[in-house]
Amino acid sequence: MALGALSLLGFQLVDSAFVARLGTAPLAAQSFTFPLSFLIIGVQVGLGIAIAALVSRALGAGEVPRARRLSSLVLLGGSLIVGVLCLLLGALQTPLFRLLGADEALLPLIRDYWAPQLLAAWVGALLYFGYSLFRSRGEMRLPGNMMVMTSLINLALDPLLIFGIGDWQGLGLPGAAWATTIAFSSGLLVIALRLKHTDWLTNQGLVQEARYSSRPFLGIAGPAMIGQLMPPLAAMLATAIVASLGETAVAAWGLVSRLETVSLMVVLALTMSLPPWLGRCYGAGDWQQIRRLMWLALRVVLIWQLGLGLVMALLSPWVAELLAGNPEIREELTLLIRGLLPSYALLGVCMVVVSASNALGWPLRSMLMSGVRLFVCYLPCLWLGAQWAGILGVAIGAALGNVLAGALAFALYRRSIGIRGKTV
């Protein structure tokens, strides 16, 4: 899953690196779409968390027929929910992007990119739901392999569709979205063919299962989606704060946001692969194994992310030169990398604890931790930093918010696991 996450998130960074070669305006236009794209991802991840938690718990308790019904229900309902959300974001795009701080000159660029990007987001959501079914059953290899495959397809199509070939001038910024759509569609086809040869889905008893499982599903999916929707909301507010510093700052912020997801590949792999195993242990009542798994995961996150962050901070001028063509963007991106990357060690702790809490029957605590991280720690520090020292203050403030969030999440986890230990 780490290799798959690296390749999947890497192609998003590659998208931005190619788009950066088109100029500052296209890169800024793409950066303004990130918060709304994260909104769609938040909904799909919240639904995916519910899939993994309920299906893995059902399997751990030996309820195989129920696991089939739950899998079928979420595939059907999830595709409908994400589709409606994409249509709404397409219809309301102009007022939303103006609210984020996009000026009139950027709106035509955003409009041309946003329609194919919404299609890519919907296809990607369907693909993610398929991945969630495989992960809930402990099948990590296929999702990881498919992430690599789709990223390679996207990498091959990006320069062709963005810049063209021969006499064809390419599609420019929209070409990045079309490359992603084609890559995700190829992965969805493979997942559908594999699911066809399993007995993981059923069309029997779905109505009864929907009535029986709606409350526990919403009990997990509701807080999980709210928790996952908080980051895109915070990203919108953060983009609006950074937009006050100018177009170059927005472009640099967009690049470091992409770099953030790539640098957190191990954490993201753990948030995808750890909950199904925790869910099985939860279903079997094995809290001793849960503690061992969590302690191992948290140590891996701290050691890996801190080491990677320090290396990236040292290499920040060369990384910025690789990603950005504009000298002003490179300078600001260097400052952001140096300030932010080492702080992802504590951000990773928070992310693992939030993800695990959904599998361990603490969805409300997970939602609380997400809210505190973003709206008590991250955004206030980011805003104060921007007011105090511009882009340098943004880097310092965001880093301080990540450190505070990780410390608070670990403290809440220790308290929760201690209370649970006294009741079992």
Side-chain angles (χ1 to χ4, degrees):
M1 289 309 300
L3 294 174
L6 173 62
S7 59
L8 181 63
L9 298 169
F11 87 62
Q12 296 177 351
L13 186 62
V14 167
D15 274 356
S16 294
F18 279 124
V19 170
R21 298 302 187 265
L22 295 174
T24 301
L27 181 58
Q30 187 192 44
S31 298
F32 273 113
T33 68
F34 291 164
L36 296 184
S37 296
F38 294 154
L39 175 66
I40 300 169
I41 292 172
V43 172
Q44 77 181 45
V45 170
L47 293 172
I49 288 171
I51 297 173
L54 288 182
V55 173
S56 62
R57 289 182 194 178
L59 292 172
E63 300 174 343
V64 177
R66 183 169 180 240
R68 295 193 189 103
R69 295 192 295 269
L70 288 169
S71 301
S72 303
L73 282 172
V74 177
L75 283 181
L76 293 172
S79 61
L80 179 61
I81 291 171
V82 176
V84 170
L85 177 60
C86 289
L87 290 175
L88 286 173
L89 291 178
L92 300 174
Q93 59 180 289
T94 299
L96 286 174
F97 287 120
R98 282 176 178 161
L99 186 63
L100 289 176
D103 57 35
E104 294 299 324
L106 285 178
L107 287 177
L109 282 173
I110 295 174
R111 191 178 301 113
D112 291 341
Y113 174 74
W114 190 229
Q117 178 61 22
L118 285 173
L119 178 60
W122 184 70
V123 177
L126 299 184
L127 184 59
Y128 181 83
F129 296 149
Y131 291 162
S132 296
L133 291 186
F134 280 87
R135 292 200 308 269
S136 68
R137 294 173 176 272
E139 295 282 347
M140 306 296 172
R141 186 180 300 275
L142 180 63
N145 289 340
M146 294 309 303
M147 289 177 183
V148 173
M149 186 195 81
T150 54
S151 68
L152 292 175
I153 293 174
N154 184 84
L155 178 62
L157 292 177
D158 255 344
L160 175 63
L161 296 182
I162 293 173
F163 303 112
I165 185 171
D167 294 333
W168 182 52
Q169 298 301 310
L171 300 174
L173 179 58
W178 284 114
T180 303
T181 302
I182 296 170
F184 281 162
S185 298
S186 63
L188 184 60
L189 177 62
V190 174
I191 288 291
L193 291 174
R194 285 294 302 271
L195 284 174
K196 185 178 179 181
H197 292 89
T198 69
D199 61 348
W200 296 353
L201 303 175
T202 183
N203 57 7
Q204 303 295 321
L206 297 184
V207 175
Q208 294 85 347
E209 185 62 45
R211 293 172 181 168
Y212 176 75
S213 299
S214 59
R215 290 189 65 182
F217 180 81
L218 291 175
I220 298 174
M225 278 194 287
I226 293 173
Q228 292 296 323
L229 290 175
M230 289 180 189
L233 175 58
M236 293 179 196
L237 297 173
T239 301
I241 293 171
V242 175
S244 66
L245 303 178
E247 190 177 272
T248 301
V250 174
W253 183 255
L255 285 173
V256 83
S257 297
R258 294 286 189 164
L259 187 60
E260 173 184 313
T261 54
V262 174
S263 67
L264 288 169
M265 63 171 183
V266 170
V267 177
L268 293 169
L270 282 171
T271 62
M272 289 185 284
S273 58
L274 185 62
W277 298 108
L278 293 176
R280 291 198 179 195
C281 294
Y282 179 90
D286 190 354
W287 283 88
Q288 184 177 359
Q289 180 69 358
I290 287 171
R291 290 185 180 88
R292 287 198 294 264
L293 286 169
M294 284 297 295
W295 181 236
L296 174 61
L298 293 174
R299 281 186 295 172
V300 168
V301 166
L302 278 172
I303 295 171
W304 169 262
Q305 288 302 145
L306 186 58
L308 178 63
L310 293 175
V311 171
M312 291 293 289
L314 292 173
L315 299 177
S316 56
W318 295 276
V319 175
E321 185 175 358
L322 179 65
L323 295 177
N326 186 301
E328 293 182 2
I329 297 177
R330 286 202 299 266
E331 183 179 346
E332 297 193 355
L333 181 58
T334 300
L335 291 175
L336 290 172
I337 293 173
R338 286 174 177 169
L340 284 173
L341 269 293
S343 73
Y344 293 162
L346 274 297
L347 174 60
V349 168
C350 185
M351 291 172 64
V352 169
V353 171
V354 167
S355 176
S357 296
N358 287 296
L360 298 178
W362 305 325
L364 293 178
R365 294 177 195 177
S366 172
M367 184 179 69
L368 174 64
M369 281 186 280
S370 294
V372 169
R373 173 176 83 85
L374 295 168
F375 300 107
V376 177
C377 300
Y378 179 72
L379 282 175
C381 292
L382 178 67
W383 181 81
L384 289 173
Q387 301 302 309
W388 168 59
I391 196 69
L392 175 61
V394 166
I396 295 173
L400 178 59
N402 289 335
V403 171
L404 291 174
L408 289 174
F410 182 71
L412 183 58
Y413 164 73
R414 288 288 301 271
R415 181 176 180 274
S416 299
I417 202 75
I419 293 173
R420 183 67 191 182
K422 295 176 182 178
T423 62
V424 294

